[in-house]
Protein backbone atom coordinates (compact mmCIF):
# COMPACT_ATOMS: atom_id res chain seq x y z
CA UNK A 1 0.00 0.00 0.00
CA UNK A 2 1.45 3.29 -1.07
CA UNK A 3 2.06 5.88 1.63
CA UNK A 4 0.12 9.04 0.78
CA UNK A 5 2.26 12.11 0.13
CA UNK A 6 1.65 15.04 2.49
CA UNK A 7 1.50 18.39 0.81
CA UNK A 8 1.50 21.66 2.75
CA UNK A 9 0.53 24.95 1.26
CA UNK A 10 2.55 28.09 1.95
CA UNK A 11 0.27 29.30 4.75
CA UNK A 12 0.64 25.96 6.54
CA UNK A 13 4.43 26.10 6.18
CA UNK A 14 4.52 29.60 7.69
CA UNK A 15 2.32 28.47 10.59
CA UNK A 16 4.46 25.47 11.46
CA UNK A 17 7.85 27.13 10.92
CA UNK A 18 10.07 27.75 13.92
CA UNK A 19 9.74 31.38 15.08
CA UNK A 20 12.65 33.41 13.79
CA UNK A 21 15.15 34.40 16.46
CA UNK A 22 16.02 38.09 16.69
CA UNK A 23 19.25 39.09 15.05
CA UNK A 24 21.97 39.57 17.65
CA UNK A 25 23.76 42.74 16.59
CA UNK A 26 24.49 46.21 17.92
CA UNK A 27 20.79 47.13 17.91
CA UNK A 28 19.95 43.99 19.89
CA UNK A 29 22.59 44.83 22.50
CA UNK A 30 21.44 48.46 22.62
CA UNK A 31 17.86 47.30 23.16
CA UNK A 32 18.96 45.23 26.17
CA UNK A 33 20.99 48.16 27.51
CA UNK A 34 18.00 50.52 27.31
CA UNK A 35 15.60 48.02 28.87
CA UNK A 36 17.96 47.30 31.75
CA UNK A 37 18.70 50.98 32.30
CA UNK A 38 15.00 51.87 32.40
CA UNK A 39 14.29 48.96 34.76
CA UNK A 40 17.03 50.13 37.14
CA UNK A 41 15.66 53.66 36.97
CA UNK A 42 12.18 52.45 37.90
CA UNK A 43 13.67 50.44 40.75
CA UNK A 44 15.34 53.57 42.07
CA UNK A 45 12.09 55.52 41.84
CA UNK A 46 10.43 52.79 43.89
CA UNK A 47 13.20 52.80 46.51
CA UNK A 48 13.53 56.57 46.87
CA UNK A 49 10.20 58.27 46.03
CA UNK A 50 9.01 60.86 45.19
CA UNK A 51 12.10 62.51 43.70
CA UNK A 52 14.35 59.43 43.65
CA UNK A 53 16.93 61.01 45.95
CA UNK A 54 18.81 59.18 48.66
CA UNK A 55 19.11 60.44 52.21
CA UNK A 56 21.30 59.46 55.13
CA UNK A 57 19.74 57.85 58.18
CA UNK A 58 19.97 59.42 61.63
CA UNK A 59 22.27 58.11 64.35
CA UNK A 60 21.59 57.08 67.94
CA UNK A 61 23.30 59.02 70.69
CA UNK A 62 25.74 56.12 71.11
CA UNK A 63 26.64 56.18 67.43
CA UNK A 64 26.92 59.98 67.46
CA UNK A 65 29.19 59.91 70.51
CA UNK A 66 31.46 57.36 68.83
CA UNK A 67 31.66 59.46 65.65
CA UNK A 68 32.54 62.57 67.64
CA UNK A 69 34.93 60.79 69.99
CA UNK A 70 33.22 61.40 73.34
CA UNK A 71 31.37 59.27 75.88
CA UNK A 72 27.65 58.76 75.38
CA UNK A 73 27.08 60.03 78.93
CA UNK A 74 28.79 63.32 78.10
CA UNK A 75 26.60 63.73 75.01
CA UNK A 76 23.53 63.04 77.15
CA UNK A 77 24.60 65.69 79.65
CA UNK A 78 25.07 68.25 76.89
CA UNK A 79 21.52 67.55 75.73
CA UNK A 80 20.15 67.94 79.27
CA UNK A 81 22.03 71.23 79.63
CA UNK A 82 20.61 72.51 76.35
CA UNK A 83 24.05 72.81 74.76
CA UNK A 84 24.52 72.02 71.10
CA UNK A 85 21.74 71.20 68.63
CA UNK A 86 18.36 69.93 69.74
CA UNK A 87 18.23 66.29 68.72
CA UNK A 88 15.10 64.47 67.64
CA UNK A 89 13.59 62.58 70.55
CA UNK A 90 11.63 59.41 69.85
CA UNK A 91 8.58 58.37 71.91
CA UNK A 92 10.78 55.93 73.83
CA UNK A 93 13.08 58.79 74.84
CA UNK A 94 15.93 57.81 72.53
CA UNK A 95 17.70 60.77 70.92
CA UNK A 96 18.53 60.65 67.20
CA UNK A 97 21.13 62.88 65.57
CA UNK A 98 21.54 63.82 61.93
CA UNK A 99 25.06 64.19 60.55
CA UNK A 100 24.48 67.96 60.46
CA UNK A 101 23.65 67.81 64.19
CA UNK A 102 26.86 65.89 64.79
CA UNK A 103 28.91 68.46 62.88
CA UNK A 104 27.33 71.28 64.91
CA UNK A 105 28.32 69.40 68.07
CA UNK A 106 31.86 69.08 66.74
CA UNK A 107 31.97 72.84 66.28
CA UNK A 108 30.65 73.49 69.78
CA UNK A 109 33.12 71.09 71.38
CA UNK A 110 36.00 72.46 69.33
CA UNK A 111 35.27 76.00 70.52
CA UNK A 112 35.19 74.88 74.16
CA UNK A 113 37.95 72.26 74.01
CA UNK A 114 40.76 72.21 76.52
CA UNK A 115 44.28 70.89 76.24
CA UNK A 116 44.54 71.43 72.51
CA UNK A 117 42.08 68.67 71.62
CA UNK A 118 40.47 69.07 68.22
CA UNK A 119 37.01 67.91 67.23
CA UNK A 120 37.00 69.52 63.77
CA UNK A 121 39.47 67.52 61.74
CA UNK A 122 39.98 69.82 58.76
CA UNK A 123 43.58 70.09 57.60
CA UNK A 124 45.60 73.22 58.21
CA UNK A 125 47.50 75.17 55.59
CA UNK A 126 50.66 73.20 56.37
CA UNK A 127 48.97 69.84 55.76
CA UNK A 128 48.81 68.92 52.09
CA UNK A 129 45.72 67.55 50.38
CA UNK A 130 45.60 63.77 50.53
CA UNK A 131 44.67 62.22 47.18
CA UNK A 132 44.08 58.48 47.59
CA UNK A 133 43.54 56.27 44.56
CA UNK A 134 41.98 52.82 44.87
CA UNK A 135 43.47 50.72 42.08
CA UNK A 136 43.55 47.24 40.59
CA UNK A 137 42.59 45.89 37.19
CA UNK A 138 41.25 42.55 38.43
CA UNK A 139 37.48 42.41 38.60
CA UNK A 140 35.96 41.44 41.93
CA UNK A 141 38.68 43.01 44.07
CA UNK A 142 36.10 45.25 45.83
CA UNK A 143 37.81 48.40 44.59
CA UNK A 144 34.63 50.47 44.36
CA UNK A 145 33.29 49.09 47.66
CA UNK A 146 36.55 50.09 49.35
CA UNK A 147 36.55 53.58 47.84
CA UNK A 148 32.90 54.23 48.75
CA UNK A 149 33.25 53.10 52.35
CA UNK A 150 36.50 55.02 52.83
CA UNK A 151 35.00 58.25 51.47
CA UNK A 152 31.89 57.93 53.62
CA UNK A 153 33.84 56.96 56.74
CA UNK A 154 36.07 60.03 56.43
CA UNK A 155 33.07 62.32 55.88
CA UNK A 156 31.24 60.84 58.86
CA UNK A 157 34.41 61.36 60.90
CA UNK A 158 34.43 65.08 60.13
CA UNK A 159 36.74 65.47 57.14
CA UNK A 160 35.89 67.34 53.95
CA UNK A 161 35.96 64.69 51.25
CA UNK A 162 35.74 64.70 47.47
CA UNK A 163 35.06 61.37 45.77
CA UNK A 164 35.89 61.07 42.07
CA UNK A 165 34.38 58.33 39.95
CA UNK A 166 36.99 57.72 37.25
CA UNK A 167 35.44 54.43 36.14
CA UNK A 168 33.17 54.69 33.06
CA UNK A 169 30.99 51.96 34.60
CA UNK A 170 30.17 54.55 37.32
CA UNK A 171 29.40 52.15 40.18
CA UNK A 172 30.64 54.69 42.76
CA UNK A 173 28.21 57.24 41.32
CA UNK A 174 25.32 54.78 41.47
CA UNK A 175 26.08 54.03 45.11
CA UNK A 176 25.70 57.73 45.85
CA UNK A 177 22.41 58.18 44.03
CA UNK A 178 23.58 59.19 40.55
CA UNK A 179 22.48 56.80 37.83
CA UNK A 180 24.90 57.64 35.00
CA UNK A 181 22.41 57.42 32.11
CA UNK A 182 19.81 59.69 33.72
CA UNK A 183 21.60 61.94 36.21
CA UNK A 184 24.97 62.72 34.61
CA UNK A 185 24.74 64.77 31.46
CA UNK A 186 27.34 65.68 28.83
CA UNK A 187 30.53 67.30 30.10
CA UNK A 188 29.48 66.63 33.71
CA UNK A 189 32.22 64.17 34.69
CA UNK A 190 35.86 64.89 35.49
CA UNK A 191 36.40 64.58 31.74
CA UNK A 192 34.74 67.99 31.50
CA UNK A 193 37.69 69.48 33.39
CA UNK A 194 40.56 67.54 31.81
CA UNK A 195 39.51 67.52 28.16
CA UNK A 196 41.78 69.07 25.54
CA UNK A 197 39.44 71.52 23.77
CA UNK A 198 37.84 74.85 24.57
CA UNK A 199 34.82 73.22 26.24
CA UNK A 200 36.81 72.37 29.38
CA UNK A 201 35.05 73.44 32.58
CA UNK A 202 36.32 74.51 35.99
CA UNK A 203 36.20 71.46 38.31
CA UNK A 204 33.83 73.27 40.67
CA UNK A 205 31.23 73.10 37.90
CA UNK A 206 31.21 69.29 37.84
CA UNK A 207 31.33 68.73 41.61
CA UNK A 208 28.03 67.71 43.19
CA UNK A 209 26.96 67.50 46.79
CA UNK A 210 25.83 64.16 48.13
CA UNK A 211 23.25 63.39 50.81
CA UNK A 212 26.16 62.97 53.26
CA UNK A 213 27.31 66.26 54.74
CA UNK A 214 30.99 66.81 54.01
CA UNK A 215 31.09 64.42 51.06
CA UNK A 216 31.01 65.76 47.51
CA UNK A 217 31.34 63.71 44.34
CA UNK A 218 32.34 64.11 40.72
CA UNK A 219 30.21 61.38 39.12
CA UNK A 220 31.17 59.30 36.13
CA UNK A 221 29.61 57.78 33.04
CA UNK A 222 30.69 56.44 29.66
CA UNK A 223 31.84 59.92 28.64
CA UNK A 224 35.08 59.25 30.54
CA UNK A 225 36.15 56.97 27.69
CA UNK A 226 36.57 60.09 25.55
CA UNK A 227 39.77 60.86 27.45
CA UNK A 228 41.13 57.45 26.48
CA UNK A 229 40.26 58.10 22.84
CA UNK A 230 41.45 61.71 22.64
CA UNK A 231 44.75 61.40 24.49
CA UNK A 232 46.58 59.50 21.71
CA UNK A 233 45.51 62.23 19.27
CA UNK A 234 46.65 64.92 21.68
CA UNK A 235 50.01 63.20 22.10
CA UNK A 236 50.47 62.99 18.33
CA UNK A 237 49.52 66.64 17.80
CA UNK A 238 50.86 68.12 21.02
CA UNK A 239 51.41 71.85 20.92
CA UNK A 240 54.26 73.56 22.77
CA UNK A 241 53.29 74.41 26.34
CA UNK A 242 50.20 72.20 26.35
CA UNK A 243 49.59 70.40 29.64
CA UNK A 244 50.66 66.75 29.50
CA UNK A 245 47.86 64.22 29.87
CA UNK A 246 49.14 62.88 33.20
CA UNK A 247 49.16 66.36 34.76
CA UNK A 248 45.66 67.41 33.78
CA UNK A 249 43.92 65.81 36.77
CA UNK A 250 46.53 67.22 39.16
CA UNK A 251 45.91 70.74 37.85
CA UNK A 252 42.13 70.28 38.12
CA UNK A 253 42.40 69.14 41.75
CA UNK A 254 44.67 72.07 42.59
CA UNK A 255 41.81 74.38 41.60
CA UNK A 256 39.57 73.04 44.41
CA UNK A 257 42.20 71.80 46.90
CA UNK A 258 41.37 74.42 49.52
CA UNK A 259 37.83 73.05 49.87
CA UNK A 260 38.86 69.51 50.86
CA UNK A 261 41.02 67.48 53.18
CA UNK A 262 40.97 64.18 51.28
CA UNK A 263 40.19 63.13 47.72
CA UNK A 264 39.25 59.47 47.11
CA UNK A 265 39.49 58.27 43.50
CA UNK A 266 37.86 55.09 42.25
CA UNK A 267 40.06 54.20 39.27
CA UNK A 268 38.92 52.19 36.24
CA UNK A 269 39.91 48.52 36.15
CA UNK A 270 42.63 48.99 33.55
CA UNK A 271 45.92 50.83 33.14
CA UNK A 272 44.78 53.45 30.66
CA UNK A 273 45.37 57.17 30.44
CA UNK A 274 42.73 57.89 33.11
CA UNK A 275 44.43 55.61 35.62
CA UNK A 276 47.85 57.07 34.84
CA UNK A 277 46.48 60.57 35.37
CA UNK A 278 45.07 59.44 38.73
CA UNK A 279 48.35 57.81 39.73
CA UNK A 280 50.21 61.00 38.86
CA UNK A 281 47.76 63.13 40.89
CA UNK A 282 47.78 60.82 43.91
CA UNK A 283 49.68 61.25 47.14
CA UNK A 284 48.84 57.70 48.31
CA UNK A 285 47.68 54.40 46.85
CA UNK A 286 45.43 51.58 48.03
CA UNK A 287 45.76 48.38 46.01
CA UNK A 288 42.80 46.10 46.68
CA UNK A 289 43.47 42.36 46.47
CA UNK A 290 41.24 39.34 46.95
CA UNK A 291 43.37 36.62 48.62
CA UNK A 292 43.13 34.01 45.87
CA UNK A 293 46.03 32.75 43.75
CA UNK A 294 44.65 34.01 40.43
CA UNK A 295 43.98 37.44 41.90
CA UNK A 296 47.48 37.66 43.38
CA UNK A 297 48.99 36.57 40.06
CA UNK A 298 46.96 39.29 38.34
CA UNK A 299 48.20 41.82 40.90
CA UNK A 300 51.77 40.84 40.05
CA UNK A 301 51.15 41.74 36.41
CA UNK A 302 49.38 44.93 37.45
CA UNK A 303 52.34 46.07 39.56
CA UNK A 304 54.81 45.29 36.77
CA UNK A 305 52.83 47.26 34.21
CA UNK A 306 52.25 50.12 36.66
CA UNK A 307 55.96 50.43 37.42
CA UNK A 308 56.83 50.44 33.72
CA UNK A 309 54.26 53.09 32.84
CA UNK A 310 55.08 55.27 35.84
CA UNK A 311 58.71 55.11 34.75
CA UNK A 312 57.65 56.63 31.43
CA UNK A 313 55.62 59.30 33.22
CA UNK A 314 58.60 60.07 35.46
CA UNK A 315 60.88 60.50 32.45
CA UNK A 316 58.47 63.10 31.10
CA UNK A 317 58.45 65.05 34.36
CA UNK A 318 55.47 63.50 36.12
CA UNK A 319 55.23 62.92 39.86
CA UNK A 320 55.43 59.28 40.94
CA UNK A 321 56.35 59.53 44.62
CA UNK A 322 53.77 58.67 47.26
CA UNK A 323 53.37 59.20 50.98
CA UNK A 324 52.40 55.53 51.26
CA UNK A 325 51.11 52.55 49.29
CA UNK A 326 49.14 49.81 51.02
CA UNK A 327 47.61 46.50 49.99
CA UNK A 328 44.07 46.05 51.30
CA UNK A 329 42.90 42.45 51.66
CA UNK A 330 39.25 42.37 50.55
CA UNK A 331 36.36 39.88 50.70
CA UNK A 332 38.38 37.91 53.23
CA UNK A 333 36.93 34.78 54.86
CA UNK A 334 39.05 33.95 57.95
CA UNK A 335 37.75 30.38 58.03
CA UNK A 336 38.97 29.69 54.50
CA UNK A 337 42.32 27.93 54.82
CA UNK A 338 43.71 28.80 51.36
CA UNK A 339 42.73 32.45 51.80
CA UNK A 340 44.41 32.61 55.21
CA UNK A 341 47.51 31.04 53.69
CA UNK A 342 47.55 33.63 50.91
CA UNK A 343 47.22 36.47 53.42
CA UNK A 344 50.17 35.13 55.39
CA UNK A 345 52.12 34.77 52.15
CA UNK A 346 51.53 38.45 51.27
CA UNK A 347 52.35 39.60 54.80
CA UNK A 348 55.58 37.62 54.64
CA UNK A 349 56.56 39.29 51.37
CA UNK A 350 55.45 42.84 52.24
CA UNK A 351 55.18 43.10 56.05
CA UNK A 352 55.09 46.90 56.01
CA UNK A 353 52.79 47.30 53.01
CA UNK A 354 49.81 45.04 53.80
CA UNK A 355 47.19 46.74 55.95
CA UNK A 356 46.82 45.05 59.31
CA UNK A 357 43.03 44.97 59.05
CA UNK A 358 41.32 43.10 56.19
CA UNK A 359 37.89 43.85 54.75
CA UNK A 360 35.81 40.80 55.62
CA UNK A 361 33.35 39.19 53.25
CA UNK A 362 29.93 39.96 54.70
CA UNK A 363 26.32 39.40 53.74
CA UNK A 364 25.52 42.75 55.39
CA UNK A 365 27.79 44.62 52.97
CA UNK A 366 26.54 42.60 50.00
CA UNK A 367 22.86 43.07 50.91
CA UNK A 368 23.37 46.80 51.42
CA UNK A 369 24.95 47.00 47.99
CA UNK A 370 21.85 45.50 46.38
CA UNK A 371 19.98 48.64 47.45
CA UNK A 372 22.88 50.90 46.39
CA UNK A 373 23.95 51.51 49.97
CA UNK A 374 27.02 51.03 52.11
CA UNK A 375 27.15 49.48 55.57
CA UNK A 376 27.26 53.03 56.97
CA UNK A 377 23.88 53.85 55.46
CA UNK A 378 21.87 50.86 56.65
CA UNK A 379 20.46 50.52 60.14
CA UNK A 380 21.34 47.71 62.48
CA UNK A 381 17.74 46.46 62.58
CA UNK A 382 17.98 45.14 59.02
CA UNK A 383 20.40 42.38 60.00
CA UNK A 384 21.11 40.07 62.88
CA UNK A 385 23.15 41.85 65.54
CA UNK A 386 26.22 39.66 65.10
CA UNK A 387 26.25 39.99 61.29
CA UNK A 388 25.91 43.77 61.35
CA UNK A 389 28.40 44.34 64.17
CA UNK A 390 30.97 42.06 62.57
CA UNK A 391 30.75 43.90 59.24
CA UNK A 392 30.74 47.35 60.83
CA UNK A 393 33.68 46.61 63.11
CA UNK A 394 35.74 45.19 60.25
CA UNK A 395 34.99 48.15 57.96
CA UNK A 396 35.70 50.68 60.72
CA UNK A 397 39.00 48.98 61.54
CA UNK A 398 40.12 49.17 57.91
CA UNK A 399 39.17 52.80 57.49
CA UNK A 400 40.49 53.85 60.90
CA UNK A 401 43.85 52.38 59.92
CA UNK A 402 43.81 54.41 56.71
CA UNK A 403 42.78 57.51 58.65
CA UNK A 404 45.79 56.89 60.88
CA UNK A 405 48.04 56.91 57.82
CA UNK A 406 46.55 60.22 56.72
CA UNK A 407 47.06 61.77 60.14
CA UNK A 408 50.63 60.44 60.30
CA UNK A 409 51.37 62.00 56.93
CA UNK A 410 50.13 65.33 58.29
CA UNK A 411 52.28 64.93 61.37
CA UNK A 412 49.37 64.60 63.79
CA UNK A 413 49.52 62.41 66.87
Amino acid sequence: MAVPQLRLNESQVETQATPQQPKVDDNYILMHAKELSESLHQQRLALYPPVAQKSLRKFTSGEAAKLIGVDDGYLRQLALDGKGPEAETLPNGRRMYSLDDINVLRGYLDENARGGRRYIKHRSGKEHLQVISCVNFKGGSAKTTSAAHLAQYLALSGYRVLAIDLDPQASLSALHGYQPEFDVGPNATIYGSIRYDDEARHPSEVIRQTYISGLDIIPGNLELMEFEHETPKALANRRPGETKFFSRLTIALNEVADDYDVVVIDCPPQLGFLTLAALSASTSLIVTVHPQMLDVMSMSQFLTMTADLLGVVKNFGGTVEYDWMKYLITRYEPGDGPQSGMVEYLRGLFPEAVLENPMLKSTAIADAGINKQTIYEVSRERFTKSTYDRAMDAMNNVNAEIEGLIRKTWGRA
Side-chain angles (χ1 to χ4, degrees), residues 87-320:
E88 176 187 0
T89 304
L90 300 180
N92 61 4
R94 175 181 290 185
R95 296 184 312 282
M96 303 296 292
Y97 293 84
S98 69
L99 184 55
D100 286 333
D101 293 334
I102 291 171
N103 286 330
V104 170
L105 277 167
R106 286 186 175 116
Y108 172 81
L109 293 172
D110 206 67
E111 289 179 2
N112 297 276
R114 298 178 181 178
R117 182 171 182 182
R118 294 179 60 184
Y119 292 90
I120 295 180
K121 299 181 178 181
H122 300 173
R123 66 187 177 94
S124 67
K126 297 179 180 179
E127 299 168 336
H128 64 268
L129 178 71
Q130 275 287 299
V131 182
I132 304 172
S133 283
C134 295
V135 294
N136 204 326
F137 63 18
K138 182 69 168 66
S141 69
K143 176 177 54 64
T144 298
T145 300
S146 302
H149 282 87
L150 175 61
Q152 291 190 7
Y153 171 89
L154 292 172
L156 292 172
S157 298
Y159 297 94
R160 300 168 300 167
V161 183
L162 174 64
I164 301 179
D165 196 343
L166 215 60
D167 188 345
Q169 297 176 84
S171 297
L172 184 71
S173 305
L175 269 174
H176 289 91
Y178 292 103
Q179 189 168 336
E181 310 97 303
F182 294 97
D183 304 320
V184 187
N187 220 26
T189 69
I190 193 62
Y191 168 74
S193 295
I194 62 176
R195 60 189 300 164
Y196 296 93
D197 57 24
D198 294 336
E199 295 185 34
R201 307 171 68 184
H202 192 276
S204 62
E205 297 179 47
V206 295
I207 292 174
R208 303 195 191 188
Q209 292 182 335
T210 71
Y211 49 92
I212 298 176
S213 180
L215 175 59
D216 293 343
I217 190 172
I218 300 179
N221 64 14
L222 291 175
E223 177 187 72
L224 288 165
M225 290 302 299
E226 293 298 321
F227 190 73
E228 302 289 352
H229 299 152
E230 291 180 1
T231 297
K233 301 175 186 177
L235 289 172
N237 304 308
R238 188 169 177 269
R239 294 167 292 184
E242 185 176 58
T243 303
K244 300 180 179 68
F245 80 88
F246 52 78
S247 299
R248 302 183 82 82
L249 182 55
T250 304
I251 292 172
L253 291 180
N254 286 340
E255 294 291 325
V256 294
D258 290 343
D259 298 327
Y260 301 100
D261 306 308
V262 184
V263 176
V264 178
I265 303 177
D266 183 26
C267 292
Q270 72 263 356
L271 273 174
F273 295 112
L274 283 168
T275 301
L276 284 175
L279 293 174
S280 186
S282 297
T283 61
S284 308
L285 302 179
I286 294 175
V287 182
T288 54
V289 55
H290 181 47
Q292 298 276 16
M293 178 56 74
L294 290 179
D295 294 78
V296 174
M297 291 172 63
S298 174
M299 187 180 77
S300 174
Q301 298 301 309
F302 170 78
L303 293 174
T304 300
M305 292 175 61
T306 300
D308 289 344
L309 292 172
L310 286 180
V312 175
V313 170
K314 183 178 181 180
N315 290 336
F316 280 91
T319 301
V320 295

Side-chain angles (χ1 to χ4, degrees), residues 326-338:
K326 297 292 182 179
Y327 300 107
L328 169 59
I329 305 298
T330 60
R331 298 171 54 221
Y332 177 48
E333 300 176 80
D336 187 313

